[in-house]
Each structure stands twice: as C-alpha cells, then as structure tokens.
Amino acid sequence: MLELPEAFKEKMKGLLGKEYQAFLESYQQERVQGLRVNPLKTDIESFLEEAPFHLKPIPWSKEGFYYEIEDRPGRHPWHEAGAYYIQEPSAMAAAELLDPQPGERILDLCAAPGGKSTHIAGRMRGEGLLVSNEIHPARAKILSQNIERMGIVNAVVTNEDSARLAQHFPEFFHRIGVDAPCSGEGMFRKDEAARGQWSPDHVKLCAARQLEILSNAAVMLKKGGRLVYSTCTFSPEENEQVVEAFLDSHEDFYIEDAGKIPGLSQGRPEWSKSKREELKYTYRIWPQLTEGEGHYLAVLRKKGEISEETVSVSAQSVRDGKKKPSPRDREDEKQFKEMWDQVLADSVGWNLKGKWIFFGEQLYLLPSQMPDIHGLKVMRPGLHVATRKKNRFEPSHALALSLKPEQARQWYDLDSQSQWPIRYLKGETLTLDKEASSHLTGANGWILITVDGFSAGFGKRSSNMIKNHYPKGLRLMC
C-alpha cells in the first residue's frame, strides 16, 4: 500500500466514516489509463475501427476511452500526429460539464499541460476563440506544444496571472474553465511528489488561492455564461467550501444542476460550513466507486441573459496592419503566396479569417475574435503558419498538423505498421514508394507527410526523395 500522510488518513477517516475502508483499499489497485480521441483529426467510429488498442468507453466522456497498460499509445506514431490525447479519465469530466460550442469565446484559465484545452478545442471545431492560460512559463510552453500537436487553429496561449487577465477581458467569455491548482489529494495514487508536499497548511493555502482565481474568473464571464470549477483533491476546504465562499461574495452566480452523469457522485453539502442545499448539484469522482482518480466539479452560472454581440478583428494581410506597404512588405506577400500556393490545395483558399501578425520572423494567424493582445504575455498568438527566411517563407510544423490530406497540394501517407513513421519521426530522409497511398503532382517542393491519414509534418520533395522537416526538438531519440 502507498504511504499516505497520517494527517490525511485521519482527516479522510473522519469525513468518510464507514466508507473510509473502501477508499483506503482503492490505493492498492492499479490506476486506470485513458486517452481522448481528437475530433479535429478523426471521428470516433473510424478511430475505433482502426485503433490498435484495447479500448473501453469512459462513462462521462464522449471521446474518452480506457486503454490497457500494454497498449502504450504514447509510443505509437498516431500520438505524435495528434490523433488522441492521453489524459487521466477523471479530468475529462471538466470539459464535458463546460459543454463548449463552436463559435463561442472560451477561457481555460489554468490550462497546462493542455488536456482540458485540447478537449474544449475539439468541441469548438476550429470556430470561435479559445484562450488557454498558464501562469508558469515552463508549463505554458508545454501547453503550447500540445495545442500545436492536436492541430488547433483557434487558440491563443497566454502566460498571465488571473488578475491581469481580468483587467484585459471584462465580461468577455461565454464559458470559462477553472481547473484550480490544488493540494492534489486525488493524484496521490500516481504522484509521489503530491503525497510528499501535502499538509493541512498547504490545503488552506490552496483554498485561499482557489477563491482568488475563481473571483477573477467571475469578472471575465459574460452575463448568462457558464463557469466550471474543478480540482483533483478531496478536501472540502478546497471544494464545497470554496464554492460556498464564492457564492456568498458573488450573488450574481448560482450552482447549476447539470443532471445525473454516469460515474459521478453528488457533492457533499454536509461538508460545507453553511450546508447550502444546492451543493448537492456539484460532483465528486471517488477512486473506490469508479475507474478514475479523485475529482471535484461544480457548474456555476452567471445570472442574466447572454448577449449576442461579437468581437471581430477583420482579416489583414502579411503587412501586419500597416496602411501603406513598404517594399519589403510587398516582397513578403509575394514570397508568402508562393509558399502558400506550393503547400496548400486550391480549395483552402488565400483569404482566412483573422489577422496576420509577426512575432519576430514567425508569422501567425490571430483568431478573428481575439482583441488587441498588446500588454499581454502571449506564448502563442494563434496558429503558427510560417517562418520568414531570406528570400522565402517556410511552412510551420503547426500548419502541417492542422491540415487534412485533401487540403495539401501534395501528400504522402506512411503505414503505421511499417518502419517508415518511426524513421520519419527520427528525422530520416524518406524514399517515395509508388505503391504507397499518396497524392503527388510530380513537382518538387513541400509535401505533407501523413501516418494512416493523420498529418504528422512536412517534408520537401526532390525527385523520389523527401528531405525530412520534422522539428529537431521533437524527434525521437531511439
């Protein structure tokens, strides 16, 4: 059995009573593993027909599936192509309750490493605006990488404190997810660091921080909007009592009854200081009752009618908003269009919604509903499209991952059962096989590499050879 903090065991014994023994015994069991299908890349039916894994549906997630340890999906080429995201099953419940819709403006306030953001983005289908925020720079970088891997085109990654975001986005978002930093009790079965860090004082510190974050999120939510608060801890101080304190100081919010959800238990109103009855409409996931780690979730609604006004940033050229082009601007547009026409099929078109902006020599497409980003710490201002080099533009890896084969001028498919996907992911040069599935124009130049139809990156064709352009920092080492 895992060595749990004695103070934690005494606390849970007092809270759970006769349920405590089953709770304690759950720590002797192997934790379950989960993956979530990426609807931006495939549909669930096709994935289940073709996936080489042993999968079982997760009750509370449409796209979620348990897998067996021996499946090792993290080492399969489909993982690098963003066909799915490996995620702890309980954590999938938050985005389900948030219920994101295409075209909305949505904030994932504590987003790293990206599980909930990529879940939300899949439901948005590339329409609307997703702002994914993470206060810690190193974790924000990982978040950005996962946004890229999953082929997401409408997300902006920020690296901000929630208070500064609140100043920038008053009553802006239709939905907000707050997966708050917590004492991590629900992760004790898989995270030794969480067990070592735990203390009653740490729980109190987390609760104070959670209430502050939740209050800042409230400022950014539109009237009529939905906010989902979640933690991966059991402590009432961080769950029912935080929600209770928030409602006491925010009379314009109420707990929304989202109905019964398979695998999710009701919250524990008796663990709240005032025993507010509506806390029974919040949710808990218990390891002794279901296949998942500990989690708490509450759906909060802001009173009022949601307005239908939109925030729009009109499409602009590579000139980055300048009214009069300079000679270099005109040359940029010419070179960029040359790259664009070589890489993309005619059906993709030249006019995309959004604003073209440069970060240094990197060209991004800022989502059309994102307002001015001046003054914000931005890690990723939308879709990274290309890099400006001397006398040319090169398409980005993010652009490749956002494409379907039919959107590319040329594409070449690698069979995941062959040696070639791994060799590509290691950075090796490829040789064209006439019998392989492909669409080739015969021209040299950029070509989209796919694995079983999932976009994986770019190569550059020269006759029957393809020079590898898979990013060096992502290449497999063994």
Side-chain angles (χ1 to χ4, degrees), residues 250-307:
H250 293 79
E251 295 182 355
D252 55 339
F253 277 81
Y254 62 93
I255 296 174
E256 186 172 35
D257 179 8
K260 290 188 177 297
I261 299 176
L264 274 62
S265 305
Q266 286 188 329
R268 303 294 287 258
E270 68 272 21
W271 288 352
S272 170
K273 290 181 179 178
S274 68
K275 299 182 175 56
R276 187 187 285 258
E277 182 66 21
E278 57 265 39
L279 284 167
K280 70 182 180 181
Y281 297 129
T282 64
Y283 301 92
R284 281 181 174 270
I285 299 177
W286 295 98
Q288 77 273 21
L289 298 178
T290 191
E291 292 182 288
E293 307 300 311
H295 232 71
Y296 175 82
L297 308 103
V299 181
L300 303 170
R301 179 74 71 173
K302 195 171 190 177
K303 296 176 182 177
E305 295 295 324
I306 199 158
S307 59

Side-chain angles (χ1 to χ4, degrees), residues 276-408:
R276 187 187 285 258
E277 182 66 21
E278 57 265 39
L279 284 167
K280 70 182 180 181
Y281 297 129
T282 64
Y283 301 92
R284 281 181 174 270
I285 299 177
W286 295 98
Q288 77 273 21
L289 298 178
T290 191
E291 292 182 288
E293 307 300 311
H295 232 71
Y296 175 82
L297 308 103
V299 181
L300 303 170
R301 179 74 71 173
K302 195 171 190 177
K303 296 176 182 177
E305 295 295 324
I306 199 158
S307 59
E308 296 301 325
E309 93 287 352
T310 60
V311 175
S312 179
V313 179
S314 59
Q316 299 189 30
S317 72
V318 181
R319 292 193 297 270
D320 194 16
K322 296 177 184 176
K323 294 181 180 179
K324 295 182 179 180
S326 68
R328 182 175 182 182
D329 293 327
R330 289 194 293 269
E331 189 63 24
D332 277 347
E333 289 199 3
K334 176 184 176 183
Q335 292 168 2
F336 179 65
K337 193 171 188 307
E338 288 175 355
M339 181 213 77
W340 188 269
D341 291 342
Q342 185 184 116
V343 170
L344 299 175
D346 293 335
S347 59
V348 177
W350 167 251
N351 295 315
L352 297 179
K353 294 179 181 179
K355 177 182 178 181
W356 298 105
I357 62 171
F358 277 110
F359 264 39
E361 300 303 308
Q362 309 306 317
L363 179 65
Y364 288 82
L365 187 65
L366 187 73
S368 60
Q369 294 194 48
M370 185 69 182
D372 184 14
I373 63 174
H374 180 72
L376 286 175
K377 295 178 184 176
V378 178
M379 299 286 289
R380 187 180 190 83
L383 175 64
H384 182 204
V385 177
T387 299
R388 180 166 55 190
K389 300 279 181 93
K390 185 178 180 180
N391 300 323
R392 71 186 192 283
F393 279 83
E394 289 192 355
S396 72
H397 186 58
L399 177 63
L401 291 171
S402 72
L403 297 175
K404 291 182 171 57
E406 63 271 17
Q407 295 176 306

Side-chain angles (χ1 to χ4, degrees), residues 25-217:
E25 290 173 357
S26 71
Y27 286 90
Q28 300 181 45
Q29 302 168 5
E30 289 289 335
R31 63 186 181 91
V32 293
Q33 316 283 333
L35 63 80
R36 198 188 66 254
V37 179
N38 182 6
L40 300 176
K41 294 275 189 171
T42 186
D43 61 83
I44 294 174
E45 292 75 17
S46 298
F47 182 86
L48 293 177
E49 288 178 2
E50 301 171 8
F53 311 127
H54 304 86
L55 301 175
K56 183 177 70 172
I58 294 172
W60 51 84
S61 177
K62 296 175 185 177
E63 299 95 350
F65 296 88
Y66 298 106
Y67 65 85
E68 301 296 332
I69 294 177
E70 61 268 22
D71 288 328
R72 304 181 75 185
R75 296 184 65 84
H76 196 280
W78 287 8
H79 178 265
E80 304 310 311
Y84 49 81
Y85 188 99
I86 296 174
Q87 187 178 20
E88 197 283 306
S90 296
M92 299 181 192
E96 289 286 344
L97 286 172
L98 190 63
D99 192 26
Q101 300 296 315
E104 294 181 327
R105 302 194 295 273
I106 299 177
L107 170 65
D108 186 3
L109 187 52
C110 312
K116 294 174 179 65
S117 279
T118 55
H119 196 169
I120 291 167
R123 293 290 180 87
M124 296 177 76
R125 301 286 180 172
E127 300 177 20
L129 168 67
L130 171 62
V131 176
S132 298
N133 182 71
E134 173 57 44
I135 191 171
H136 299 290
R139 287 170 55 80
K141 183 178 180 181
I142 295 170
L143 166 64
S144 184
Q145 291 171 345
N146 281 321
I147 292 288
E148 176 178 288
R149 181 172 61 85
M150 301 298 277
I152 297 166
V153 301
N154 61 325
V156 173
V157 177
T158 56
N159 172 217
E160 283 289 0
D161 176 85
S162 62
R164 291 201 72 247
L165 283 181
Q167 295 173 3
H168 206 89
F169 296 106
E171 294 198 342
F172 181 80
F173 295 101
H174 298 89
R175 300 174 197 261
I176 298 177
V178 179
D179 185 44
C182 67
S183 61
E185 295 168 354
M187 296 292 104
F188 279 1
R189 191 157 56 167
K190 75 169 190 174
D191 191 345
E192 182 179 352
R195 299 196 300 272
Q197 189 179 18
W198 188 91
S199 72
D201 286 341
H202 184 52
V203 169
K204 293 178 183 178
L205 179 66
C206 288
R209 181 171 53 194
Q210 290 153 358
L211 184 57
E212 178 185 359
I213 293 172
L214 198 52
S215 296
N216 289 330

